[in-house]
Amino acid sequence: MKSFKRRLISCLLVFAMVLTLAPIAMTTVFAADTSAVSNSGVLKDGKVVFNSIPPKDGDDWATMQFVMMEFYDKNYDNGYTPDSFSDDFSKLYATYHSGQPDEQQISVDVTWNYDKEVLKTADIFTEKFPRGEVFWFNLTDLEFINYLLNRDPDSEEMFDTMANYSAELKACIENTNFELLVMPGAGMDDPFLTERIGTVKLVHDGIAYYTFDPLGATAQHVVYIPESTGNTKEEILAAIKARIDGYIKNSGIEITYSGLTVDEFVANTLAEYDAHKAELEAELATKTAEYDRLNALNDQNNTAIQNAQTAYDDACRAAEDAESAYNGKVDAKNGILTELESARQNGDDEATINEIQGRLDAAQDEVNDAYQIREEKIEEENRALTTLQERQQYGRLLMEQLSPLMSDIDSLRREIDWVDEYKANFLESFEEGGADEFLNDAAGGFIYELKFPGSDEVFTFVAIKDNSKLTTPSYATKDINTQISVSSASSEVPLDAIIEVSEVTSGTEYDRIMKAIDAESGKSFDIKIHSRTTDEYVTKLSDGTFEVRIPIPEEYNGKDLIVYYVDANGQVTPHTVRPEGNYAVFTTDHFSVYTLAPIAPEVANTADVNDSTLWIGVMLFSVCGFAGVAYLEYSDRMKKFSKNK
């Protein structure tokens, strides 16, 4: 009977241990909230608020460009467009398009909404940004892979986030939750180089604290592999896959050999330049021949126009002379007519009157002849004018063909020069310091293609053997207000994701948590991780954990601490805290509201985390329990054996 009781007690002990620890191992997926929508840039009651620092001066066009674009986007549908700022940037002058002929000019009061303390931090960070000839942040090979995996190639977003995947940028901003947003105006998508460069703004909590142009990010299309890798294309391909798979499990990236080497790529590219130049030169020859033909006709026509102009001028003078002669004849006839009338009034004899009448008839004949000549000269003048106008119209038609031809020829000549320049630059890019110099080190000279899930885009990559570059990105972000930070080695996290923290100090949620953990007080924080690239919150990891660091409040110094997660059903999951300096550190695989609180000394070591050590503990307890049962069974049997003996 005693043996049975012992075994029963031991089994119940083990069972109780499992029941006690099992709920601690349970996890809940946290559903992320959506971001709040800002009213920045919205005109209301003659006022506007911009979530930005004001421009430094009238030459700070980058800041003015961003806020004016925002004002335009938010108010254009209501008929308002921005014009300019006052000298002190306290007012924005805009135009109201009412639909009437008269437009109304208005003055808008401006408020610049930003935190001066955050600005001080931003100024410190941006002093470390690239200056001079270098105006970009570099991405490592796997940082670029992380970016390509998370981006939407069909996105119509104005701003690109590639720079936020760079450890160089993260070092400048000390992994804090600032974002560098690039409005690309330059850069390239070359076969082996991706650049996103343009006007940028450094943003924290939706507020711009820095603007600059140009700045951005650049990434070489390369995957670094161990120096011990063989030289066959199959061995190199396997090394590329191993490198990517070692960072991103189940990435879905298709990696294949392109069928080309770097030398073949160079030869093909040069051949394409030459072929393109030949096409341009052939087109130039055709257009030049047509231009020469039309220009010859135009020269002939210009000579004809000059001759027609001369003939018209002569015809005009002849018509004027004929008009003058005609008018003279008319005047002479009128004089004789006056003389005849006077003779009749004076009663002159018939012979005198007949003589005057004879002269009048002769004068009339001369008038008639002069009139006929005048009409002929006017007709000749009209014909000469028509000929001149026809030649001029023909000249205009020729020029309508010559002008665009001339423009096309100039453009073709420039394009041919550009092809020569691009070809020269392409060759120079492989020289020391050139953008494509790294291709000279391509393992085996082979080119590979990477196709990312959900996209038809294919990226060309090379592999380079370099053990010093076999670095793996690690994720880290820090809230500048609470100094809470999160880090993870998991590649599931987009490297551009930033932390969002809000402290829960009162209300129903706070009271519910305090009641569930049976504590009078605690520091509760709603912790979220958001990626602008994916526009999603990272709520849970399927593989890996987050390490969270919370500054230890002064009133908690010297106390044993624990972190609690309370789910919607009131289930409490404790997380073991590891003190590191002034920080309480714990791990988790998802985000929600976490509460840091002191625990009583006698139970300081009873909580555990959602990691492998929990189940190791469970198994150890179980093994010990069952070992105890086995020992008791063995002890009973030995006693029976001794008694029987």
Side-chain angles (χ1 to χ4, degrees):
M1 190 66 180
K2 279 185 178 180
S3 176
F4 173 77
K5 287 183 178 179
R6 286 180 184 175
R7 288 195 294 270
L8 179 60
I9 292 170
S10 299
C11 290
L12 289 174
L13 177 62
V14 173
F15 185 64
M17 290 176 182
V18 174
L19 287 178
T20 302
L21 292 171
I24 300 176
M26 296 174 63
T27 60
T28 304
V29 177
F30 174 70
D33 295 328
T34 57
S35 300
V37 179
S38 171
N39 287 322
S40 176
V42 176
L43 177 61
K44 184 176 181 181
D45 300 329
K47 300 177 182 179
V48 65
V49 176
F50 289 119
N51 284 342
S52 171
I53 59 171
K56 298 179 181 64
D57 51 43
D59 294 328
D60 186 3
W61 68 270
T63 302
M64 289 187 284
Q65 177 189 24
F66 281 127
V67 295
M68 282 193 169
M69 286 173 56
E70 184 176 43
F71 183 91
Y72 181 90
D73 291 341
K74 298 286 183 67
N75 303 288
Y76 176 77
D77 288 344
N78 293 325
Y80 295 95
T81 56
D83 297 326
S84 61
F85 282 101
S86 62
D87 292 341
D88 62 357
F89 302 106
S90 64
K91 293 187 180 297
L92 171 68
Y93 304 115
T95 300
Y96 175 57
H97 306 272
S98 61
Q100 302 299 321
D102 295 332
E103 296 177 338
Q104 181 182 355
Q105 303 296 317
I106 64 170
S107 175
V108 180
D109 293 331
V110 177
T111 298
W112 300 95
N113 177 41
Y114 65 98
D115 187 307
K116 291 183 179 180
E117 292 303 314
V118 176
L119 177 59
K120 291 178 183 178
T121 303
D123 287 342
I124 294 172
F125 291 163
T126 55
E127 281 298 317
K128 297 179 282 186
F129 278 13
R131 294 289 191 276
E133 295 182 0
V134 178
F135 41 83
W136 57 76
F137 296 98
N138 292 286
L139 273 68
T140 65
D141 55 348
L142 296 184
E143 288 172 351
F144 186 49
I145 296 291
N146 189 294
Y147 167 72
L148 293 178
L149 265 176
N150 289 292
R151 76 184 188 112
D152 178 5
D154 300 321
S155 173
E156 297 181 357
E157 283 293 320
M158 179 185 300
F159 296 104
D160 186 81
T161 59
M162 177 174 156
N164 297 284
Y165 287 75
S166 169
E168 290 184 1
L169 170 63
K170 297 294 186 181
C172 288
I173 62 175
E174 299 178 7
N175 291 319
T176 53
N177 48 346
F178 280 94
E179 292 178 290
L180 188 70
L181 305 182
V182 181
M183 186 169 65
M188 61 185 70
D189 283 304
D190 278 4
F192 297 97
L193 190 67
T194 295
E195 290 181 346
R196 295 290 181 267
I197 298 171
T199 308
V200 305
K201 60 179 178 179
L202 187 68
V203 175
H204 176 264
D205 199 19
I207 299 173
Y209 286 93
Y210 171 83
T211 62
F212 191 75
D213 180 81
L215 194 63
T218 182
Q220 297 172 339
H221 295 196
V222 59
V223 176
Y224 291 99
I225 59 176
E227 295 171 4
S228 59
T229 305
N231 293 320
T232 68
K233 58 177 176 289
E234 293 80 12
E235 290 172 312
I236 295 168
L237 177 61
I240 294 174
K241 290 181 177 180
R243 174 113 163 93
I244 294 177
D245 291 344
Y247 172 53
I248 307 172
K249 296 179 177 62
N250 304 316
S251 66
I253 301 174
E254 297 179 16
I255 309 172
T256 56
Y257 172 55
S258 70
L260 286 176
T261 65
V262 172
D263 288 341
E264 291 168 340
F265 164 74
V266 172
N268 292 346
T269 302
L270 294 177
E272 288 174 3
Y273 279 128
D274 292 340
H276 185 45
K277 181 179 179 180
E279 291 176 1
L280 295 173
E281 288 176 335
E283 186 178 358
L284 176 62
T286 300
K287 289 185 179 292
T288 300
E290 179 65 7
Y291 177 85
D292 291 342
R293 183 185 73 81
L294 293 174
N295 196 46
L297 292 175
N298 191 53
D299 289 342
Q300 295 173 7
N301 189 63
N302 286 336
T303 301
I305 288 175
Q306 292 176 356
N307 294 335
Q309 183 68 54
T310 300
Y312 174 66
D313 292 342
D314 292 343
C316 287
R317 284 191 293 272
E320 290 174 358
D321 292 343
E323 180 70 23
S324 178
Y326 170 74
N327 291 335
K329 296 299 182 180
V330 170
D331 291 343
K333 185 201 77 168
N334 290 338
I336 296 172
L337 180 60
T338 300
E339 182 183 353
L340 178 60
E341 290 175 351
S342 177
R344 287 174 175 168
Q345 289 177 359
N346 294 332
D348 290 349
D349 57 47
E350 185 176 350
T352 300
I353 292 174
N354 289 337
E355 185 271 334
I356 295 173
Q357 182 64 51
R359 284 191 287 118
L360 179 62
D361 293 340
Q364 182 61 51
D365 291 339
E366 291 178 359
V367 168
N368 292 340
D369 292 341
Y371 175 81
Q372 184 63 34
I373 293 171
R374 187 194 71 168
E375 291 301 308
E376 290 174 356
K377 295 301 180 183
I378 291 174
E379 182 65 23
E380 290 175 3
E381 178 186 8
N382 289 336
R383 285 198 300 270
L385 177 60
T386 299
T387 300
L388 176 61
Q389 290 174 336
E390 288 174 348
R391 284 295 176 183
Q392 290 173 334
Q393 176 63 21
Y394 182 49
R396 284 191 289 272
L397 292 174
L398 288 172
M399 288 306 300
E400 286 177 1
Q401 299 176 70
L402 283 169
S403 292
L405 269 177
M406 186 181 300
S407 178
D408 290 346
I409 289 170
D410 289 342
S411 296
L412 286 168
R413 286 172 176 163
R414 284 195 300 271
E415 196 168 350
I416 289 170
D417 290 340
W418 289 339
V419 170
D420 289 337
E421 184 178 347
Y422 292 154
K423 181 179 177 181
N425 291 339
F426 175 71
L427 291 172
E428 290 176 5
S429 72
F430 287 85
E431 298 176 1
E432 185 176 357
D436 293 317
E437 180 190 6
F438 69 97
L439 294 177
N440 297 325
D441 299 324
F446 300 118
I447 297 174
Y448 297 88
E449 293 180 343
L450 275 67
K451 185 177 179 182
F452 291 80
S455 173
D456 293 330
E457 282 187 294
V458 175
F459 289 84
T460 50
F461 275 73
V462 297
I464 294 179
K465 299 178 184 181
D466 189 342
N467 289 347
S468 68
K469 299 291 183 67
L470 300 178
T471 57
T472 301
S474 59
Y475 172 75
T477 180
K478 182 178 183 179
D479 179 47
I480 63 172
N481 294 322
T482 63
Q483 295 297 299
I484 294 175
S485 64
V486 171
S487 60
S488 178
S490 174
S491 61
E492 293 180 39
V493 187
L495 293 175
D496 75 317
I498 60 172
I499 189 172
E500 297 178 4
V501 179
S502 58
E503 186 172 1
V504 182
T505 58
S506 61
T508 305
E509 177 70 2
Y510 181 78
D511 294 340
R512 185 182 71 85
I513 293 172
M514 293 302 108
K515 181 179 179 180
I517 65 176
D518 193 21
E520 295 181 358
S521 65
K523 299 293 184 180
S524 296
F525 300 96
D526 187 0
I527 302 174
K528 299 177 181 177
I529 300 292
H530 181 264
S531 166
R532 183 180 288 269
T533 306
T534 62
D535 193 25
E536 293 178 350
Y537 285 91
V538 181
T539 57
K540 184 175 176 61
L541 294 178
S542 61
D543 182 26
T545 59
F546 294 104
E547 181 179 87
V548 184
R549 302 170 67 87
I550 301 177
I552 299 175
E554 186 175 348
E555 61 267 31
Y556 289 177
N557 285 340
K559 297 181 179 180
D560 292 321
L561 301 174
I562 191 167
V563 167
Y564 295 105
Y565 163 61
V566 181
D567 68 16
N569 298 319
Q571 176 68 52
V572 178
T573 303
H575 294 260
T576 296
V577 168
R578 183 178 75 254
E580 287 189 9
N582 295 323
Y583 287 88
V585 183
F586 72 97
T587 59
T588 183
D589 64 356
H590 75 287
F591 284 112
S592 181
V593 177
Y594 287 93
T595 301
L596 176 68
I599 55 176
E602 61 271 15
V603 294
N605 297 315
T606 59
D608 208 345
V609 207
N610 290 335
D611 58 17
S612 58
T613 57
L614 171 66
W615 291 108
I616 291 173
V618 172
M619 294 303 296
L620 286 173
F621 276 117
S622 300
V623 169
C624 291
F626 286 113
V629 173
Y631 174 79
L632 292 173
E633 180 69 27
Y634 172 76
S635 177
D636 285 345
R637 290 188 178 182
M638 288 300 295
K639 287 180 180 178
K640 290 179 181 179
F641 176 76
S642 298
K643 186 180 292 184
N644 293 334
K645 189 174 179 181

